[in-house]
Amino acid sequence: MKTAHRTPCPACKRRRQRLRARSPLLNTLCLPVARWGFTLLAVAGFYANMPAPALLAAGLATIAWRHD
């Protein structure tokens, strides 16, 4: 099953490109390895009943996926 993925509007796309150009940290978070890594760390943290690290990893994963 394939999920529908909307293409971003031109203004949103330009804003993301500007953010990436100015922030090396955001560039690192935009890598697929970082996106999936933080997602897996969040799941592992929740599974191991470690809420604080899991929430931190989930927040970073959310930022990484949002700026995809």
Side-chain angles (χ1 to χ4, degrees), residues 19-68:
L19 282 171
R20 286 181 187 165
R22 291 185 184 149
S23 173
L25 180 62
L26 191 56
N27 281 336
T28 304
L29 284 175
C30 290
L31 295 174
V33 172
R35 288 194 304 258
W36 286 105
F38 284 124
T39 302
L40 291 175
L41 282 175
V43 170
F46 284 123
Y47 182 74
N49 200 16
M50 298 169 49
L55 288 174
L56 179 67
L60 289 171
T62 302
I63 292 169
W65 281 102
R66 180 172 290 169
H67 291 285
D68 180 20

mmCIF file of all heavy atoms in Angstrom, residues 19-68:
data_model
loop_
_atom_site.group_PDB
_atom_site.id
_atom_site.type_symbol
_atom_site.label_atom_id
_atom_site.label_comp_id
_atom_site.label_asym_id
_atom_site.label_seq_id
_atom_site.Cartn_x
_atom_site.Cartn_y
_atom_site.Cartn_z
ATOM 1 N N LEU A 19 16.560 27.239 5.351
ATOM 2 C CA LEU A 19 16.921 26.709 6.666
ATOM 3 C C LEU A 19 18.099 25.746 6.552
ATOM 4 O O LEU A 19 19.015 25.773 7.359
ATOM 5 C CB LEU A 19 15.725 25.987 7.282
ATOM 6 C CG LEU A 19 14.657 26.860 7.897
ATOM 7 C CD1 LEU A 19 13.445 26.012 8.266
ATOM 8 C CD2 LEU A 19 15.182 27.585 9.113
ATOM 9 N N ARG A 20 18.068 24.880 5.550
ATOM 10 C CA ARG A 20 19.152 23.917 5.372
ATOM 11 C C ARG A 20 20.460 24.613 5.027
ATOM 12 O O ARG A 20 21.522 24.191 5.457
ATOM 13 C CB ARG A 20 18.791 22.918 4.281
ATOM 14 C CG ARG A 20 17.764 21.922 4.705
ATOM 15 C CD ARG A 20 17.486 20.967 3.592
ATOM 16 N NE ARG A 20 16.372 20.102 3.937
ATOM 17 C CZ ARG A 20 15.724 19.366 3.084
ATOM 18 N NH1 ARG A 20 16.067 19.378 1.806
ATOM 19 N NH2 ARG A 20 14.728 18.603 3.461
ATOM 20 N N ALA A 21 20.392 25.680 4.250
ATOM 21 C CA ALA A 21 21.605 26.384 3.845
ATOM 22 C C ALA A 21 22.268 27.075 5.036
ATOM 23 O O ALA A 21 23.481 27.211 5.074
ATOM 24 C CB ALA A 21 21.277 27.422 2.772
ATOM 25 N N ARG A 22 21.488 27.473 6.031
ATOM 26 C CA ARG A 22 22.028 28.211 7.167
ATOM 27 C C ARG A 22 22.390 27.328 8.349
ATOM 28 O O ARG A 22 23.105 27.761 9.231
ATOM 29 C CB ARG A 22 21.011 29.238 7.634
ATOM 30 C CG ARG A 22 20.819 30.347 6.636
ATOM 31 C CD ARG A 22 19.902 31.400 7.188
ATOM 32 N NE ARG A 22 19.658 32.411 6.167
ATOM 33 C CZ ARG A 22 18.547 33.099 6.068
ATOM 34 N NH1 ARG A 22 17.580 32.903 6.926
ATOM 35 N NH2 ARG A 22 18.402 33.988 5.124
ATOM 36 N N SER A 23 21.864 26.133 8.417
ATOM 37 C CA SER A 23 22.036 25.326 9.616
ATOM 38 C C SER A 23 22.696 23.980 9.297
ATOM 39 O O SER A 23 22.054 23.087 8.761
ATOM 40 C CB SER A 23 20.674 25.083 10.262
ATOM 41 O OG SER A 23 20.803 24.174 11.310
ATOM 42 N N PRO A 24 23.963 23.821 9.664
ATOM 43 C CA PRO A 24 24.606 22.527 9.436
ATOM 44 C C PRO A 24 23.975 21.412 10.288
ATOM 45 O O PRO A 24 23.944 20.264 9.886
ATOM 46 C CB PRO A 24 26.061 22.759 9.820
ATOM 47 C CG PRO A 24 26.123 24.053 10.508
ATOM 48 C CD PRO A 24 24.875 24.809 10.197
ATOM 49 N N LEU A 25 23.428 21.782 11.470
ATOM 50 C CA LEU A 25 22.761 20.780 12.297
ATOM 51 C C LEU A 25 21.508 20.259 11.606
ATOM 52 O O LEU A 25 21.242 19.054 11.590
ATOM 53 C CB LEU A 25 22.409 21.370 13.659
ATOM 54 C CG LEU A 25 21.711 20.423 14.621
ATOM 55 C CD1 LEU A 25 22.605 19.236 14.942
ATOM 56 C CD2 LEU A 25 21.330 21.159 15.882
ATOM 57 N N LEU A 26 20.744 21.153 11.008
ATOM 58 C CA LEU A 26 19.548 20.737 10.288
ATOM 59 C C LEU A 26 19.910 19.909 9.062
ATOM 60 O O LEU A 26 19.212 18.959 8.721
ATOM 61 C CB LEU A 26 18.711 21.953 9.887
ATOM 62 C CG LEU A 26 17.310 21.660 9.369
ATOM 63 C CD1 LEU A 26 16.520 20.862 10.385
ATOM 64 C CD2 LEU A 26 16.598 22.946 9.062
ATOM 65 N N ASN A 27 21.024 20.242 8.410
ATOM 66 C CA ASN A 27 21.490 19.421 7.291
ATOM 67 C C ASN A 27 21.768 18.001 7.748
ATOM 68 O O ASN A 27 21.456 17.034 7.049
ATOM 69 C CB ASN A 27 22.755 20.023 6.673
ATOM 70 C CG ASN A 27 22.444 21.173 5.764
ATOM 71 O OD1 ASN A 27 21.354 21.277 5.241
ATOM 72 N ND2 ASN A 27 23.393 22.051 5.592
ATOM 73 N N THR A 28 22.368 17.855 8.923
ATOM 74 C CA THR A 28 22.660 16.534 9.465
ATOM 75 C C THR A 28 21.368 15.796 9.795
ATOM 76 O O THR A 28 21.238 14.596 9.530
ATOM 77 C CB THR A 28 23.526 16.656 10.730
ATOM 78 O OG1 THR A 28 24.698 17.382 10.389
ATOM 79 C CG2 THR A 28 23.911 15.308 11.270
ATOM 80 N N LEU A 29 20.401 16.504 10.366
ATOM 81 C CA LEU A 29 19.133 15.863 10.718
ATOM 82 C C LEU A 29 18.333 15.446 9.492
ATOM 83 O O LEU A 29 17.486 14.572 9.583
ATOM 84 C CB LEU A 29 18.289 16.807 11.573
ATOM 85 C CG LEU A 29 18.701 16.961 13.023
ATOM 86 C CD1 LEU A 29 17.836 18.015 13.698
ATOM 87 C CD2 LEU A 29 18.616 15.656 13.761
ATOM 88 N N CYS A 30 18.583 16.071 8.357
ATOM 89 C CA CYS A 30 17.823 15.756 7.149
ATOM 90 C C CYS A 30 18.300 14.477 6.469
ATOM 91 O O CYS A 30 17.668 14.018 5.529
ATOM 92 C CB CYS A 30 17.900 16.919 6.161
ATOM 93 S SG CYS A 30 16.986 18.355 6.715
ATOM 94 N N LEU A 31 19.413 13.931 6.905
ATOM 95 C CA LEU A 31 19.899 12.687 6.301
ATOM 96 C C LEU A 31 18.979 11.528 6.665
ATOM 97 O O LEU A 31 18.455 11.468 7.777
ATOM 98 C CB LEU A 31 21.314 12.390 6.801
ATOM 99 C CG LEU A 31 22.399 13.376 6.395
ATOM 100 C CD1 LEU A 31 23.705 13.017 7.089
ATOM 101 C CD2 LEU A 31 22.569 13.376 4.902
ATOM 102 N N PRO A 32 18.764 10.599 5.750
ATOM 103 C CA PRO A 32 17.889 9.456 6.048
ATOM 104 C C PRO A 32 18.383 8.628 7.231
ATOM 105 O O PRO A 32 17.584 8.124 8.014
ATOM 106 C CB PRO A 32 17.913 8.629 4.767
ATOM 107 C CG PRO A 32 18.381 9.543 3.702
ATOM 108 C CD PRO A 32 19.213 10.594 4.367
ATOM 109 N N VAL A 33 19.694 8.516 7.398
ATOM 110 C CA VAL A 33 20.234 7.747 8.516
ATOM 111 C C VAL A 33 19.821 8.385 9.841
ATOM 112 O O VAL A 33 19.436 7.691 10.791
ATOM 113 C CB VAL A 33 21.775 7.652 8.400
ATOM 114 C CG1 VAL A 33 22.388 7.042 9.631
ATOM 115 C CG2 VAL A 33 22.165 6.886 7.159
ATOM 116 N N ALA A 34 19.879 9.694 9.931
ATOM 117 C CA ALA A 34 19.490 10.387 11.157
ATOM 118 C C ALA A 34 17.996 10.246 11.408
ATOM 119 O O ALA A 34 17.568 10.013 12.546
ATOM 120 C CB ALA A 34 19.870 11.861 11.078
ATOM 121 N N ARG A 35 17.196 10.393 10.362
ATOM 122 C CA ARG A 35 15.741 10.271 10.539
ATOM 123 C C ARG A 35 15.376 8.908 11.090
ATOM 124 O O ARG A 35 14.666 8.795 12.092
ATOM 125 C CB ARG A 35 15.031 10.492 9.205
ATOM 126 C CG ARG A 35 15.042 11.916 8.749
ATOM 127 C CD ARG A 35 14.057 12.144 7.633
ATOM 128 N NE ARG A 35 14.251 11.278 6.498
ATOM 129 C CZ ARG A 35 14.835 11.625 5.363
ATOM 130 N NH1 ARG A 35 15.286 12.848 5.218
ATOM 131 N NH2 ARG A 35 14.961 10.778 4.382
ATOM 132 N N TRP A 36 15.852 7.866 10.449
ATOM 133 C CA TRP A 36 15.516 6.512 10.887
ATOM 134 C C TRP A 36 16.205 6.162 12.195
ATOM 135 O O TRP A 36 15.644 5.445 13.038
ATOM 136 C CB TRP A 36 15.859 5.490 9.804
ATOM 137 C CG TRP A 36 14.877 5.545 8.686
ATOM 138 C CD1 TRP A 36 15.071 6.093 7.456
ATOM 139 C CD2 TRP A 36 13.535 5.078 8.703
ATOM 140 N NE1 TRP A 36 13.928 5.992 6.709
ATOM 141 C CE2 TRP A 36 12.971 5.370 7.438
ATOM 142 C CE3 TRP A 36 12.754 4.454 9.661
ATOM 143 C CZ2 TRP A 36 11.661 5.038 7.125
ATOM 144 C CZ3 TRP A 36 11.440 4.122 9.336
ATOM 145 C CH2 TRP A 36 10.913 4.417 8.080
ATOM 146 N N GLY A 37 17.422 6.650 12.404
ATOM 147 C CA GLY A 37 18.140 6.370 13.644
ATOM 148 C C GLY A 37 17.422 6.933 14.861
ATOM 149 O O GLY A 37 17.236 6.231 15.859
ATOM 150 N N PHE A 38 17.010 8.197 14.794
ATOM 151 C CA PHE A 38 16.298 8.791 15.924
ATOM 152 C C PHE A 38 14.929 8.139 16.121
ATOM 153 O O PHE A 38 14.472 7.991 17.256
ATOM 154 C CB PHE A 38 16.146 10.306 15.751
ATOM 155 C CG PHE A 38 17.404 11.056 16.026
ATOM 156 C CD1 PHE A 38 17.952 11.901 15.072
ATOM 157 C CD2 PHE A 38 18.061 10.928 17.236
ATOM 158 C CE1 PHE A 38 19.114 12.604 15.328
ATOM 159 C CE2 PHE A 38 19.227 11.628 17.497
ATOM 160 C CZ PHE A 38 19.756 12.467 16.542
ATOM 161 N N THR A 39 14.296 7.745 15.036
ATOM 162 C CA THR A 39 13.012 7.050 15.164
ATOM 163 C C THR A 39 13.199 5.716 15.883
ATOM 164 O O THR A 39 12.436 5.385 16.798
ATOM 165 C CB THR A 39 12.385 6.823 13.770
ATOM 166 O OG1 THR A 39 12.228 8.091 13.131
ATOM 167 C CG2 THR A 39 11.043 6.140 13.877
ATOM 168 N N LEU A 40 14.207 4.958 15.491
ATOM 169 C CA LEU A 40 14.465 3.674 16.145
ATOM 170 C C LEU A 40 14.902 3.860 17.591
ATOM 171 O O LEU A 40 14.525 3.059 18.462
ATOM 172 C CB LEU A 40 15.509 2.878 15.360
ATOM 173 C CG LEU A 40 15.045 2.363 13.995
ATOM 174 C CD1 LEU A 40 16.195 1.694 13.260
ATOM 175 C CD2 LEU A 40 13.881 1.409 14.152
ATOM 176 N N LEU A 41 15.691 4.896 17.873
ATOM 177 C CA LEU A 41 16.075 5.174 19.259
ATOM 178 C C LEU A 41 14.855 5.515 20.119
ATOM 179 O O LEU A 41 14.777 5.105 21.285
ATOM 180 C CB LEU A 41 17.075 6.319 19.313
ATOM 181 C CG LEU A 41 18.511 5.989 18.965
ATOM 182 C CD1 LEU A 41 19.354 7.264 18.945
ATOM 183 C CD2 LEU A 41 19.089 5.003 19.952
ATOM 184 N N ALA A 42 13.922 6.259 19.563
ATOM 185 C CA ALA A 42 12.706 6.592 20.312
ATOM 186 C C ALA A 42 11.893 5.337 20.610
ATOM 187 O O ALA A 42 11.441 5.138 21.747
ATOM 188 C CB ALA A 42 11.868 7.600 19.524
ATOM 189 N N VAL A 43 11.724 4.486 19.622
ATOM 190 C CA VAL A 43 10.967 3.243 19.836
ATOM 191 C C VAL A 43 11.674 2.365 20.869
ATOM 192 O O VAL A 43 11.038 1.814 21.774
ATOM 193 C CB VAL A 43 10.783 2.496 18.494
ATOM 194 C CG1 VAL A 43 10.222 1.106 18.724
ATOM 195 C CG2 VAL A 43 9.881 3.302 17.570
ATOM 196 N N ALA A 44 12.988 2.254 20.758
ATOM 197 C CA ALA A 44 13.750 1.438 21.714
ATOM 198 C C ALA A 44 13.659 2.027 23.121
ATOM 199 O O ALA A 44 13.548 1.271 24.101
ATOM 200 C CB ALA A 44 15.205 1.336 21.266
ATOM 201 N N GLY A 45 13.701 3.342 23.239
ATOM 202 C CA GLY A 45 13.583 3.977 24.547
ATOM 203 C C GLY A 45 12.232 3.743 25.184
ATOM 204 O O GLY A 45 12.135 3.465 26.388
ATOM 205 N N PHE A 46 11.166 3.840 24.399
ATOM 206 C CA PHE A 46 9.837 3.559 24.941
ATOM 207 C C PHE A 46 9.701 2.088 25.311
ATOM 208 O O PHE A 46 9.107 1.742 26.325
ATOM 209 C CB PHE A 46 8.747 3.961 23.945
ATOM 210 C CG PHE A 46 8.524 5.439 23.871
ATOM 211 C CD1 PHE A 46 8.647 6.111 22.668
ATOM 212 C CD2 PHE A 46 8.201 6.177 24.995
ATOM 213 C CE1 PHE A 46 8.447 7.476 22.586
ATOM 214 C CE2 PHE A 46 7.990 7.539 24.939
ATOM 215 C CZ PHE A 46 8.116 8.192 23.727
ATOM 216 N N TYR A 47 10.272 1.209 24.504
ATOM 217 C CA TYR A 47 10.213 -0.234 24.778
ATOM 218 C C TYR A 47 10.983 -0.573 26.056
ATOM 219 O O TYR A 47 10.568 -1.427 26.831
ATOM 220 C CB TYR A 47 10.784 -1.009 23.588
ATOM 221 C CG TYR A 47 10.711 -2.498 23.753
ATOM 222 C CD1 TYR A 47 9.498 -3.170 23.633
ATOM 223 C CD2 TYR A 47 11.849 -3.240 24.031
ATOM 224 C CE1 TYR A 47 9.419 -4.539 23.792
ATOM 225 C CE2 TYR A 47 11.794 -4.614 24.194
ATOM 226 C CZ TYR A 47 10.573 -5.260 24.070
ATOM 227 O OH TYR A 47 10.507 -6.609 24.235
ATOM 228 N N ALA A 48 12.108 0.121 26.297
ATOM 229 C CA ALA A 48 12.929 -0.142 27.480
ATOM 230 C C ALA A 48 12.424 0.634 28.705
ATOM 231 O O ALA A 48 13.069 0.600 29.750
ATOM 232 C CB ALA A 48 14.378 0.224 27.194
ATOM 233 N N ASN A 49 11.307 1.319 28.569
ATOM 234 C CA ASN A 49 10.699 2.070 29.660
ATOM 235 C C ASN A 49 11.652 3.163 30.173
ATOM 236 O O ASN A 49 11.843 3.316 31.375
ATOM 237 C CB ASN A 49 10.265 1.135 30.793
ATOM 238 C CG ASN A 49 9.224 1.788 31.679
ATOM 239 O OD1 ASN A 49 8.628 2.786 31.300
ATOM 240 N ND2 ASN A 49 9.005 1.218 32.847
ATOM 241 N N MET A 50 12.225 3.890 29.246
ATOM 242 C CA MET A 50 13.092 5.028 29.560
ATOM 243 C C MET A 50 12.469 6.272 28.931
ATOM 244 O O MET A 50 12.802 6.645 27.809
ATOM 245 C CB MET A 50 14.498 4.779 29.008
ATOM 246 C CG MET A 50 15.171 3.576 29.612
ATOM 247 S SD MET A 50 16.687 3.075 28.778
ATOM 248 C CE MET A 50 17.609 4.545 28.628
ATOM 249 N N PRO A 51 11.540 6.916 29.634
ATOM 250 C CA PRO A 51 10.759 7.987 29.003
ATOM 251 C C PRO A 51 11.554 9.233 28.609
ATOM 252 O O PRO A 51 11.309 9.794 27.544
ATOM 253 C CB PRO A 51 9.686 8.326 30.034
ATOM 254 C CG PRO A 51 10.180 7.780 31.316
ATOM 255 C CD PRO A 51 11.101 6.655 30.995
ATOM 256 N N ALA A 52 12.478 9.679 29.437
ATOM 257 C CA ALA A 52 13.185 10.927 29.118
ATOM 258 C C ALA A 52 14.033 10.799 27.848
ATOM 259 O O ALA A 52 13.902 11.624 26.930
ATOM 260 C CB ALA A 52 14.045 11.370 30.303
ATOM 261 N N PRO A 53 14.900 9.781 27.721
ATOM 262 C CA PRO A 53 15.659 9.650 26.473
ATOM 263 C C PRO A 53 14.761 9.363 25.267
ATOM 264 O O PRO A 53 15.045 9.822 24.158
ATOM 265 C CB PRO A 53 16.603 8.474 26.724
ATOM 266 C CG PRO A 53 16.661 8.318 28.193
ATOM 267 C CD PRO A 53 15.367 8.829 28.728
ATOM 268 N N ALA A 54 13.679 8.630 25.509
ATOM 269 C CA ALA A 54 12.772 8.317 24.405
ATOM 270 C C ALA A 54 12.089 9.578 23.889
ATOM 271 O O ALA A 54 11.940 9.764 22.680
ATOM 272 C CB ALA A 54 11.737 7.291 24.844
ATOM 273 N N LEU A 55 11.679 10.450 24.807
ATOM 274 C CA LEU A 55 11.037 11.693 24.381
ATOM 275 C C LEU A 55 12.017 12.611 23.664
ATOM 276 O O LEU A 55 11.649 13.280 22.700
ATOM 277 C CB LEU A 55 10.414 12.407 25.579
ATOM 278 C CG LEU A 55 9.154 11.748 26.139
ATOM 279 C CD1 LEU A 55 8.712 12.466 27.406
ATOM 280 C CD2 LEU A 55 8.045 11.750 25.111
ATOM 281 N N LEU A 56 13.254 12.652 24.127
ATOM 282 C CA LEU A 56 14.274 13.445 23.447
ATOM 283 C C LEU A 56 14.515 12.913 22.032
ATOM 284 O O LEU A 56 14.543 13.687 21.066
ATOM 285 C CB LEU A 56 15.577 13.430 24.243
ATOM 286 C CG LEU A 56 16.731 14.200 23.632
ATOM 287 C CD1 LEU A 56 16.426 15.690 23.627
ATOM 288 C CD2 LEU A 56 18.009 13.926 24.387
ATOM 289 N N ALA A 57 14.670 11.605 21.900
ATOM 290 C CA ALA A 57 14.875 11.010 20.579
ATOM 291 C C ALA A 57 13.646 11.213 19.693
ATOM 292 O O ALA A 57 13.774 11.467 18.496
ATOM 293 C CB ALA A 57 15.197 9.526 20.714
ATOM 294 N N ALA A 58 12.453 11.124 20.279
ATOM 295 C CA ALA A 58 11.229 11.332 19.502
ATOM 296 C C ALA A 58 11.144 12.780 19.009
ATOM 297 O O ALA A 58 10.711 13.034 17.881
ATOM 298 C CB ALA A 58 10.006 10.982 20.338
ATOM 299 N N GLY A 59 11.558 13.725 19.845
ATOM 300 C CA GLY A 59 11.559 15.128 19.418
ATOM 301 C C GLY A 59 12.525 15.373 18.280
ATOM 302 O O GLY A 59 12.198 16.060 17.306
ATOM 303 N N LEU A 60 13.718 14.800 18.380
ATOM 304 C CA LEU A 60 14.692 14.946 17.292
ATOM 305 C C LEU A 60 14.205 14.250 16.021
ATOM 306 O O LEU A 60 14.413 14.746 14.911
ATOM 307 C CB LEU A 60 16.049 14.403 17.721
ATOM 308 C CG LEU A 60 16.778 15.250 18.764
ATOM 309 C CD1 LEU A 60 18.001 14.515 19.285
ATOM 310 C CD2 LEU A 60 17.163 16.589 18.182
ATOM 311 N N ALA A 61 13.564 13.099 16.185
ATOM 312 C CA ALA A 61 13.019 12.401 15.014
ATOM 313 C C ALA A 61 11.922 13.229 14.352
ATOM 314 O O ALA A 61 11.842 13.305 13.118
ATOM 315 C CB ALA A 61 12.474 11.028 15.420
ATOM 316 N N THR A 62 11.097 13.871 15.166
ATOM 317 C CA THR A 62 10.029 14.712 14.614
ATOM 318 C C THR A 62 10.614 15.875 13.816
ATOM 319 O O THR A 62 10.153 16.180 12.715
ATOM 320 C CB THR A 62 9.148 15.256 15.753
ATOM 321 O OG1 THR A 62 8.625 14.156 16.485
ATOM 322 C CG2 THR A 62 8.023 16.108 15.215
ATOM 323 N N ILE A 63 11.633 16.516 14.369
ATOM 324 C CA ILE A 63 12.289 17.614 13.646
ATOM 325 C C ILE A 63 12.898 17.106 12.342
ATOM 326 O O ILE A 63 12.770 17.741 11.293
ATOM 327 C CB ILE A 63 13.359 18.272 14.537
ATOM 328 C CG1 ILE A 63 12.700 19.000 15.698
ATOM 329 C CG2 ILE A 63 14.222 19.242 13.729
ATOM 330 C CD1 ILE A 63 13.680 19.454 16.764
ATOM 331 N N ALA A 64 13.562 15.959 12.417
ATOM 332 C CA ALA A 64 14.209 15.410 11.226
ATOM 333 C C ALA A 64 13.192 15.059 10.154
ATOM 334 O O ALA A 64 13.407 15.324 8.976
ATOM 335 C CB ALA A 64 15.031 14.177 11.610
ATOM 336 N N TRP A 65 12.062 14.454 10.543
ATOM 337 C CA TRP A 65 11.059 14.069 9.548
ATOM 338 C C TRP A 65 10.325 15.292 9.001
ATOM 339 O O TRP A 65 9.941 15.315 7.849
ATOM 340 C CB TRP A 65 10.058 13.089 10.144
ATOM 341 C CG TRP A 65 10.603 11.696 10.211
ATOM 342 C CD1 TRP A 65 11.089 11.071 11.305
ATOM 343 C CD2 TRP A 65 10.740 10.771 9.133
ATOM 344 N NE1 TRP A 65 11.518 9.815 10.975
ATOM 345 C CE2 TRP A 65 11.316 9.600 9.659
ATOM 346 C CE3 TRP A 65 10.455 10.828 7.773
ATOM 347 C CZ2 TRP A 65 11.598 8.489 8.871
ATOM 348 C CZ3 TRP A 65 10.717 9.718 6.998
ATOM 349 C CH2 TRP A 65 11.290 8.565 7.541
ATOM 350 N N ARG A 66 10.150 16.308 9.826
ATOM 351 C CA ARG A 66 9.437 17.508 9.376
ATOM 352 C C ARG A 66 10.244 18.256 8.310
ATOM 353 O O ARG A 66 9.690 18.827 7.380
ATOM 354 C CB ARG A 66 9.162 18.426 10.552
ATOM 355 C CG ARG A 66 8.435 19.681 10.117
ATOM 356 C CD ARG A 66 8.006 20.494 11.275
ATOM 357 N NE ARG A 66 6.930 19.784 11.951
ATOM 358 C CZ ARG A 66 6.446 20.111 13.125
ATOM 359 N NH1 ARG A 66 6.962 21.115 13.773
ATOM 360 N NH2 ARG A 66 5.453 19.454 13.653
ATOM 361 N N HIS A 67 11.560 18.279 8.453
ATOM 362 C CA HIS A 67 12.416 19.010 7.513
ATOM 363 C C HIS A 67 12.969 18.084 6.444
ATOM 364 O O HIS A 67 14.056 18.299 5.941
ATOM 365 C CB HIS A 67 13.553 19.717 8.258
ATOM 366 C CG HIS A 67 13.063 20.847 9.088
ATOM 367 N ND1 HIS A 67 12.674 22.042 8.557
ATOM 368 C CD2 HIS A 67 12.860 20.942 10.425
ATOM 369 C CE1 HIS A 67 12.265 22.837 9.524
ATOM 370 N NE2 HIS A 67 12.377 22.195 10.657
ATOM 371 N N ASP A 68 12.225 17.075 6.112
ATOM 372 C CA ASP A 68 12.617 16.112 5.076
ATOM 373 C C ASP A 68 12.726 16.768 3.730
ATOM 374 O O ASP A 68 12.003 17.527 3.273
ATOM 375 C CB ASP A 68 11.605 14.984 5.047
ATOM 376 C CG ASP A 68 11.933 13.957 3.999
ATOM 377 O OD1 ASP A 68 13.092 13.885 3.559
ATOM 378 O OD2 ASP A 68 11.025 13.215 3.638
#
